[in-house]
């Protein structure tokens, strides 16, 4: 296990990454979790074409959608039946510093028709989450509370309604398009 994304990109071996992906999938299934999709933690499945293809293959094997976007920083040909997100949004450290509410409001006001995904990391800013995230400001406990607060707010609900945004879940995507 590498500590940083840079180390993963530099050192990861595709077969080893596939084993880890597979082990996590089986662990979740054994725990009784109804998997809705396969995500790429910090975009690490996009590290190179070989890892990306294994990631897509596991999605097909387990009949689960995978998070893929047309704006991948690597080139690959997507086979048919792969769901591709038109636009992927994820707040960055500078957005947190400037205020997540402003960032998310702008995203919801400017979102275009299509399949869009907004990555959020919701949690309570409590001792447990503080212990898990340590003293890191980026995606740390306070950030996660800010995400939770915005996406459960009346302001967010109103922006979704005013901008005619249709919310869907990965479960709906899985059940209607994959299975």
């Amino acid at each position: 296990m590498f500590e940083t994304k840079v180390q993963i990109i530099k050192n990861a071996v595709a077969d080893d990454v596939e084993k880890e992906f597979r082990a996590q999938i089986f662990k979740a299934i054994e725990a009784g979790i109804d998997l809705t999709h396969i995500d790429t933690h910090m975009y690490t499945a996009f590290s190179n074409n070989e890892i990306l293809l294994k990631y897509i293959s596991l999605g097909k094997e387990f009949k689960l959608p995978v998070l893929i976007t047309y704006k991948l920083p690597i080139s690959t040909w997507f086979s048919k039946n792969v769901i591709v997100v038109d636009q992927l949004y994820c707040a960055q450290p500078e957005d947190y510093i400037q205020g997540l509410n402003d960032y998310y409001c702008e995203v919801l006001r400017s979102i275009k028709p299509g399949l869009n995904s907004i990555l959020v990391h919701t949690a309570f800013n409590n001792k447990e989450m503080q212990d898990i995230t340590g003293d890191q400001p980026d995606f740390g406990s306070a950030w996660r509370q800010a995400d939770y607060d915005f996406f459960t707010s009346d302001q967010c609900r109103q922006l979704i309604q005013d901008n005619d945004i249709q919310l869907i879940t990965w479960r709906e995507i899985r059940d209607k398009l994959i299975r």
Side-chain angles (χ1 to χ4, degrees):
M1 300 296 286
F2 301 104
E3 289 188 31
T4 68
K5 183 178 171 182
V6 172
Q7 289 174 322
I8 292 169
I9 292 169
K10 185 177 179 182
N11 298 301
V13 175
D15 288 338
D16 293 339
V17 172
E18 179 186 17
K19 286 177 192 173
E20 180 61 29
F21 286 164
R22 189 176 295 280
Q24 290 183 26
I25 292 167
F26 281 124
K27 182 98 171 161
I29 291 169
E30 289 169 7
I33 296 171
D34 180 24
L35 297 175
T36 59
H37 68 290
I38 303 173
D39 199 299
T40 169
H41 184 69
M42 297 171 55
Y43 310 120
T44 55
F46 303 161
S47 296
N48 62 51
N49 282 343
E50 192 176 359
I51 291 173
L52 177 61
L53 292 174
K54 289 188 180 289
Y55 171 70
I56 292 170
S57 177
L58 285 168
K60 288 182 178 187
E61 179 181 338
F62 288 94
K63 294 184 172 62
L64 294 167
V66 296
L67 178 62
I68 298 288
T69 175
Y70 284 114
K71 296 187 178 188
L72 284 174
I74 56 178
S75 61
T76 187
W77 292 101
F78 299 115
S79 58
K80 69 181 203 177
N81 300 326
V82 173
I83 297 165
V84 180
V85 171
D86 294 303
Q87 186 65 45
L88 181 64
Y89 300 93
C90 183
Q92 299 301 308
E94 58 271 13
D95 301 313
Y96 177 70
I97 292 166
Q98 294 173 4
L100 289 177
N101 276 24
D102 291 342
Y103 171 78
Y104 291 129
C105 285
E106 179 57 30
V107 167
L108 293 177
R109 286 185 189 112
S110 66
I111 206 162
K112 302 279 189 265
L115 179 60
N116 298 282
S117 179
I118 303 173
L119 301 181
V120 296
H121 303 83
T122 59
F124 294 116
N125 185 9
N126 58 20
K127 179 162 178 18
E128 180 181 18
M129 187 52 60
Q130 291 165 6
D131 289 345
I132 291 169
T133 60
D135 61 356
Q136 69 181 32
D138 298 344
F139 304 102
S141 186
W143 180 315
R144 292 163 191 260
Q145 181 72 55
D147 275 0
Y148 176 84
D149 292 344
F150 179 80
F151 283 98
T152 58
S153 72
D154 291 336
Q155 179 184 26
C156 179
R157 279 187 213 88
Q158 192 64 52
L159 282 165
I160 290 168
Q161 181 179 336
D162 291 349
N163 292 285
D164 199 27
I165 296 169
Q166 176 66 47
L167 301 178
I168 60 171
T169 65
W170 281 109
R171 179 171 280 107
E172 291 172 300
I173 293 170
R174 178 200 69 187
D175 292 348
K176 292 179 181 174
L177 299 177
I178 301 292
R179 296 185 175 172

